Amino acid sequence: MEQNERPCYTTQIGNTTIKIRSALPFMTDEQQAQWFRDNDSLPEVQMLKRAWVRATWYNHKRRIIRAEYELNKGKLESTV
């Protein structure tokens, strides 16, 4: 398949235009999951999975810290 024949996903962030020539953004969730399973050995897919795990872990830690802050904030206000 020629590069120009592939579907193009375009988005704008600030002054930057990002073009992704892939069918992946246009696939259903099930098709994307199957694609990731089929291409699990690709280094790019492994890097993407590691980034997803790190982001998930970061968000989890952030929620825990925020919950602890909210709990302790109530305790601090009652002692003042």
Side-chain angles (χ1 to χ4, degrees):
M1 181 183 287
E2 291 291 324
Q3 184 175 13
N4 293 335
E5 293 177 12
R6 286 188 265 166
C8 183
Y9 174 78
T10 304
T11 187
Q12 181 92 25
I13 300 176
N15 293 331
T16 304
T17 301
I18 300 169
K19 292 183 178 181
I20 302 172
R21 296 196 185 278
S22 172
L24 197 59
F26 303 102
M27 293 178 183
T28 65
D29 291 343
E30 295 81 22
Q31 290 171 325
Q32 287 180 3
Q34 183 62 44
W35 185 90
F36 276 101
R37 282 191 296 273
D38 293 344
N39 294 288
D40 193 39
S41 62
L42 294 175
E44 295 85 358
V45 173
Q46 293 173 358
M47 285 182 359
L48 187 60
K49 285 183 175 183
R50 280 194 296 273
W52 180 81
V53 167
R54 287 183 187 130
T56 303
W57 178 246
Y58 171 79
N59 286 331
H60 179 71
K61 284 191 339 186
R62 221 175 92 226
R63 276 190 232 121
I64 290 172
I65 290 169
R66 183 156 186 92
E68 288 175 349
Y69 170 78
E70 292 297 327
L71 285 172
N72 291 329
K73 187 171 99 173
K75 291 177 185 176
L76 292 174
E77 289 174 354
S78 64
T79 59
V80 176

